[in-house]
Amino acid sequence: MRYLTLEELEKKYIVGKVEQFDQKNDMYRRSRWQPEVRGLWAKLWEESPPQNKPGYTLKDRALENALWYIENGFAVGNSKEGYGLYSWESGPTDKYHVLPSDLKEKVTDPAEMSRIVKKVARLAGADLVGICQLDRRWLYSHIYDCRTREYKVLEVPPEINYAIAFAVEMDHDLIKTSPTCIGGAGAGLGYSKHAYTAGILAEFIRNLGYKAIPAGNTTGLSVPIAISAGLGELGRHGMLITYEFGPRVRLAKVLTGLPLQPDTPVEFGVTQFCEKCKKCAQHCPAQAIHYGERTDKPLNISNNPGVLKWPIDAEKCLRFWVRNGSTCGNCIRVCPFNKEPGWLHDMVKWGVSDLPWLDSFFVWTDGLFGYDKQLRPEEYWAKMKS
Amino acid sequence: MRYLTLEELEKKYIVGKVEQFDQKNDMYRRSRWQPEVRGLWAKLWEESPPQNKPGYTLKDRALENALWYIENGFAVGNSKEGYGLYSWESGPTDKYHVLPSDLKEKVTDPAEMSRIVKKVARLAGADLVGICQLDRRWLYSHIYDCRTREYKVLEVPPEINYAIAFAVEMDHDLIKTSPTCIGGAGAGLGYSKHAYTAGILAEFIRNLGYKAIPAGNTTGLSVPIAISAGLGELGRHGMLITYEFGPRVRLAKVLTGLPLQPDTPVEFGVTQFCEKCKKCAQHCPAQAIHYGERTDKPLNISNNPGVLKWPIDAEKCLRFWVRNGSTCGNCIRVCPFNKEPGWLHDMVKWGVSDLPWLDSFFVWTDGLFGYDKQLRPEEYWAKMKS
């Protein structure tokens, strides 16, 4: 594990001018307004009945819907639609437990406050937590609400200058069944967890008398914020790779004006490893993952220029979801960094970090041991029997 | 661990006619309508500013408020006030993930369905899960909504005939600080967790095409339901004592018509142990816990007759909360069954279950080792530093 200065981090990832990303251009939102892809999202969810096929039956879909429930049902954000876990203020129904608004915790030691905030985040379900100065390049320029179709400039008050980035682990067995509905349930549970955590953490800070904006995929790009906060490195599949869980996490953040102490970005061999390993690209049923070298050239409006990365073709990805009848997480499932804890995997991680000339060997053994194999839906449910 | 038939369970606890409890008579609700105690609850929360006293400062209150956030902000139930985690139907905002209502899972094997339901409950955060036939004696006769002041007969549809009882563990260190606001935060986190779990579990069942009613303290009495479902025994402090966590849990349930297989009630020496051990009564700052033998005589309208138990004086309990400036969990904190996992405690639990003549010795050693000591608020926050 090596620590990077902010200059080293900038040099590693930034090769041009980074414009703030317009949320309207993410694939989820494009399917609401862009003629070429309009209706894909609706088709996936509203016109996709259960099938008589393991992993896509009523039971599997019920699991998926249920584990998405908190995110889908209670995590509305700063929109006109109502109050939710990503709202920017304390809620109207929370009237019994809100302190008078003129009280404000005096922060004399931001390092101490950072430890407290991290502990509260963990109490509320976060598995990894890091802090960074808010880099406004990673905020969306505009936000687009899929439910209300409201589109507007995003205005984050100037006193908001820190981001608390956190990750929640996704269940190993659920993800292992990707690309079935059970795998989709793994993603949904991650979303539900981080909505819960973000809401609680923001409410803690608001009760201390400071602004706090809880956010899942809302407000800004979670991956660069998490990288700045020291949670991991960018992988070929476009996702954050953490040391502890690999890419098997969901990311969220709370933006705040509470004085905090930033953490340090890290690297542990991911970039070099991903250059050798192309497992995610090979196992991508949509062939949406780039096989070549890192580039900042966009494939379409869902990629943001200026950042050196392996670009993802989000259009291909979403089109596969629709054919599949659920979301897909094969790139997470087969990633060699997606491992359960254990001394052997810890040793390999040390090797990846410190002996990069062994990377190809590690990729080869990963396949040899069958780590990229799917857990069949029938096996998943059978495991429940014990 | 011994298993009890339903007849043995009945004989152990029931000594007279059990009337359904009117929710209006619980202490929380009485403080809304009964002249003698009116306003106590409001006084506790709305007129109780942070103090310059460890465990009661702004930081401590912020923690408490934040960890209650999900229960207080999102767990409205079957009332006019809106949609929440205890609502009886899928939500209006959950429109992307609701299956057509004419689909229904065919249950040919209730035992298999029970395993599935338990696994989903655990995925959604439950630490213990059990199932029982719904015994309608434990449903409230009437419900009273503190927010809307709506009071009505509770009507649970006749096809609802099972209860899935579950427990979520409360954080050991938080509870250890009782009766401070940090201890109250431990209770709040338990409530927030079980609201989240109950909502997800109910949504799973509804997606299978069956009715499901998620409930925290709403709908019916959680303790007798949990006992029937095999989660534990009744303790002197009026709470469920589980084998795994003692009383350091919060209880909730989902009532449903989904065909399931009931579990078996258990006993592991709690009743005899509580007869000897009076630690909860001794450490109760309100002196609200009965020192004598079990009885079914009520102390006031918050006790329900017909059940053999050590009655709690809920009026004294709530009055102490108001004096204290937060809730209190001393009876949980000092209970010898409240232990972290470990081989020594497992051995003692075996002893309590199988060698009841040693109970007084176990009570004595528990005090000797200082297990009933409070974790001081300063120590709690200091622990965060590491």
Side-chain angles (χ1 to χ4, degrees):
Chain A
M1 184 81 79
R2 284 174 295 280
Y3 292 96
L4 301 179
T5 63
L6 292 180
E7 292 69 37
E8 288 169 329
L9 184 71
E10 193 75 8
K11 206 175 147 194
K12 178 171 173 181
Y13 288 115
I14 309 299
V15 289
K17 171 134 182 69
V18 179
E19 303 280 353
Q20 281 177 283
F21 187 71
D22 185 336
Q23 193 191 24
K24 197 175 179 179
N25 293 337
D26 80 23
M27 205 56 228
Y28 173 42
R29 281 158 189 85
R30 282 170 64 192
S31 75
R32 297 279 158 175
W33 63 265
Q34 199 183 26
E36 307 91 281
V37 291
R38 182 172 247 156
L40 284 181
W41 192 262
K43 206 169 167 184
L44 170 56
W45 292 119
E46 287 152 31
E47 299 158 31
S48 194
Q51 302 165 50
N52 189 16
K53 187 173 116 183
Y56 301 83
T57 67
L58 178 57
K59 184 174 66 177
D60 303 308
R61 279 296 294 278
L63 182 70
E64 183 171 27
N65 291 354
L67 297 188
W68 272 100
Y69 182 52
I70 307 299
E71 169 81 12
N72 279 339
F74 299 94
V76 294
N78 195 38
S79 83
K80 285 179 184 151
E81 212 194 1
Y83 185 74
L85 288 161
Y86 298 147
S87 289
W88 291 23
E89 309 289 341
S90 287
T93 58
D94 192 27
K95 56 194 172 202
Y96 303 131
H97 285 244
V98 168
L99 291 162
S101 59
D102 57 336
L103 295 176
K104 191 162 187 163
E105 179 79 4
K106 214 178 143 187
V107 181
T108 50
D109 182 351
E112 167 72 2
M113 185 48 76
S114 299
R115 281 187 293 265
I116 288 170
V117 156
K118 288 179 183 181
K119 178 71 177 183
V120 174
R122 286 181 184 271
L123 275 171
D127 292 301
L128 305 170
V129 200
I131 291 165
C132 61
Q133 289 265 6
L134 179 61
D135 182 335
R136 287 178 174 255
R137 290 178 298 179
W138 310 128
L139 292 179
Y140 297 134
S141 62
H142 300 72
I143 52 174
Y144 178 88
D145 190 303
C146 285
R147 296 182 185 174
T148 61
R149 309 283 163 124
E150 188 187 6
Y151 176 62
K152 62 180 181 188
V153 170
L154 174 68
E155 286 176 27
V156 173
E159 67 265 39
I160 302 287
N161 44 20
Y162 292 97
I164 305 158
F166 67 89
V168 296
E169 182 186 2
M170 291 194 286
D171 184 84
H172 186 267
D173 281 0
L174 289 174
I175 294 300
K176 195 98 181 124
T177 68
S178 170
T180 68
C181 295
I182 305 171
L189 183 57
Y191 272 96
S192 285
K193 276 186 180 180
H194 71 44
Y196 170 98
T197 307
I200 291 177
L201 180 58
E203 193 66 4
F204 175 67
I205 295 170
R206 291 191 287 241
N207 268 275
L208 293 178
Y210 293 84
K211 279 200 182 355
I213 300 175
N217 290 348
T218 50
T219 314
L221 300 169
S222 294
V223 173
I225 290 172
I227 291 173
S228 300
L231 296 194
E233 288 183 73
L234 184 67
R236 179 180 288 276
H237 37 43
M239 282 176 294
L240 182 80
I241 294 187
T242 66
Y243 187 83
E244 293 79 359
F245 311 106
R248 192 169 39 82
V249 293
R250 299 250 61 112
L251 299 176
K253 63 269 182 186
V254 172
L255 311 180
T256 184
L258 182 72
L260 295 169
Q261 185 180 64
D263 290 299
T264 310
V266 294
E267 61 179 20
F268 43 93
V270 170
T271 309
Q272 300 92 303
F273 189 87
C274 287
E275 276 164 10
K276 291 277 174 9
C277 174
K278 293 172 181 174
K279 275 185 174 289
C280 56
Q282 288 152 359
H283 285 80
C284 174
Q287 287 297 296
I289 300 175
H290 187 65
Y291 281 86
E293 306 248 301
R294 292 194 297 163
T295 168
D296 82 317
K297 298 278 173 303
L299 297 175
N300 57 56
I301 56 168
S302 290
N303 303 113
N304 215 24
V307 179
L308 204 54
K309 63 190 169 196
W310 297 277
I312 299 302
D313 190 331
E315 292 175 19
K316 286 187 183 170
C317 181
L318 181 56
R319 284 185 198 282
F320 172 73
W321 291 10
V322 175
R323 289 201 302 280
N324 178 46
S326 181
T327 60
C328 172
N330 279 16
C331 48
I332 302 173
R333 190 192 92 208
V334 304
C335 178
F337 286 100
N338 164 27
K339 289 286 183 294
E340 291 182 290
W343 65 268
L344 184 64
H345 299 145
D346 285 346
M347 269 183 50
V348 174
K349 282 193 274 191
W350 170 79
V352 167
S353 178
D354 288 39
L355 311 169
W357 48 274
L358 280 174
D359 283 351
S360 296
F361 171 75
F362 290 136
V363 175
W364 178 69
T365 53
D366 197 84
L368 202 66
F369 287 116
Y371 283 119
D372 50 13
K373 290 272 182 309
Q374 188 202 32
L375 176 66
R376 289 185 307 111
E378 304 91 315
E379 289 175 280
Y380 178 79
W381 290 111
K383 267 189 156 184
M384 288 189 166
K385 284 184 184 164
S386 60
Chain B
M1 184 83 77
R2 285 174 295 279
Y3 293 96
L4 301 179
T5 63
L6 291 180
E7 293 68 37
E8 288 169 330
L9 184 69
E10 193 75 9
K11 206 174 147 196
K12 178 171 173 181
Y13 289 113
I14 309 298
V15 288
K17 171 134 180 70
V18 179
E19 304 280 353
Q20 283 177 283
F21 187 70
D22 185 336
Q23 194 191 24
K24 196 175 180 178
N25 294 337
D26 80 22
M27 206 57 228
Y28 173 42
R29 281 158 189 85
R30 282 170 64 192
S31 75
R32 298 279 158 174
W33 63 265
Q34 198 183 28
E36 306 91 281
V37 291
R38 181 172 247 154
L40 284 181
W41 192 263
K43 205 168 168 184
L44 170 55
W45 291 119
E46 287 152 31
E47 299 158 32
S48 193
Q51 302 165 50
N52 188 17
K53 186 172 115 181
Y56 300 83
T57 67
L58 178 57
K59 185 173 66 176
D60 304 307
R61 279 294 295 277
L63 182 70
E64 183 171 28
N65 291 354
L67 297 188
W68 271 99
Y69 182 53
I70 307 298
E71 169 82 10
N72 279 339
F74 300 94
V76 292
N78 194 39
S79 83
K80 285 179 183 149
E81 211 194 1
Y83 185 75
L85 288 161
Y86 298 146
S87 289
W88 292 22
E89 309 288 340
S90 286
T93 58
D94 194 26
K95 57 195 171 201
Y96 302 131
H97 284 245
V98 168
L99 291 161
S101 59
D102 57 336
L103 295 175
K104 191 163 186 162
E105 179 80 4
K106 214 178 144 189
V107 180
T108 51
D109 182 351
E112 168 71 3
M113 185 48 77
S114 299
R115 282 187 294 264
I116 288 171
V117 157
K118 288 179 183 181
K119 178 70 179 185
V120 175
R122 285 181 186 269
L123 275 171
D127 293 300
L128 304 170
V129 200
I131 292 165
C132 61
Q133 289 263 7
L134 179 60
D135 183 336
R136 287 178 173 256
R137 290 178 299 180
W138 310 129
L139 292 178
Y140 297 133
S141 62
H142 301 72
I143 52 174
Y144 178 87
D145 189 302
C146 285
R147 295 182 186 174
T148 60
R149 309 283 162 122
E150 188 186 6
Y151 176 63
K152 62 180 181 188
V153 169
L154 174 69
E155 287 176 23
V156 173
E159 67 264 40
I160 303 287
N161 43 21
Y162 293 97
I164 305 157
F166 68 88
V168 296
E169 183 186 2
M170 291 193 286
D171 184 84
H172 185 268
D173 280 1
L174 289 174
I175 295 299
K176 195 96 180 128
T177 68
S178 171
T180 67
C181 295
I182 305 172
L189 183 58
Y191 272 95
S192 285
K193 276 187 180 179
H194 72 44
Y196 170 97
T197 307
I200 291 178
L201 180 59
E203 193 66 4
F204 175 67
I205 295 170
R206 291 192 286 242
N207 268 275
L208 293 177
Y210 293 84
K211 280 201 182 356
I213 301 175
N217 290 347
T218 51
T219 313
L221 300 169
S222 294
V223 174
I225 290 173
I227 291 173
S228 299
L231 297 194
E233 289 183 73
L234 184 67
R236 179 180 288 275
H237 38 41
M239 282 177 293
L240 182 80
I241 294 187
T242 66
Y243 187 84
E244 294 79 359
F245 311 107
R248 192 169 37 81
V249 293
R250 298 250 64 109
L251 299 177
K253 63 269 183 186
V254 172
L255 311 180
T256 184
L258 181 73
L260 295 170
Q261 185 180 64
D263 290 298
T264 311
V266 293
E267 60 179 19
F268 42 95
V270 170
T271 309
Q272 301 92 303
F273 189 88
C274 288
E275 276 164 11
K276 291 278 174 9
C277 174
K278 293 173 181 173
K279 274 186 175 288
C280 57
Q282 288 153 358
H283 285 79
C284 175
Q287 286 298 295
I289 300 175
H290 187 64
Y291 282 86
E293 306 248 300
R294 292 193 298 162
T295 169
D296 82 316
K297 299 277 172 304
L299 298 175
N300 57 57
I301 56 169
S302 290
N303 304 114
N304 216 24
V307 179
L308 204 54
K309 63 189 170 199
W310 298 275
I312 299 301
D313 190 331
E315 292 174 19
K316 286 187 183 170
C317 181
L318 181 56
R319 285 185 198 281
F320 172 73
W321 291 9
V322 175
R323 288 200 303 279
N324 178 46
S326 181
T327 60
C328 172
N330 278 16
C331 49
I332 303 173
R333 191 191 92 207
V334 304
C335 178
F337 286 101
N338 165 26
K339 289 285 183 297
E340 291 183 290
W343 65 269
L344 183 64
H345 300 144
D346 285 345
M347 269 183 52
V348 175
K349 282 194 274 190
W350 170 78
V352 167
S353 179
D354 288 39
L355 312 169
W357 47 275
L358 280 174
D359 283 351
S360 296
F361 171 75
F362 290 137
V363 175
W364 178 70
T365 53
D366 198 83
L368 202 66
F369 286 116
Y371 282 119
D372 50 13
K373 290 274 183 308
Q374 187 202 32
L375 176 66
R376 288 186 307 113
E378 304 91 316
E379 288 174 280
Y380 178 79
W381 290 112
K383 267 189 154 184
M384 288 191 165
K385 284 185 183 165
S386 62

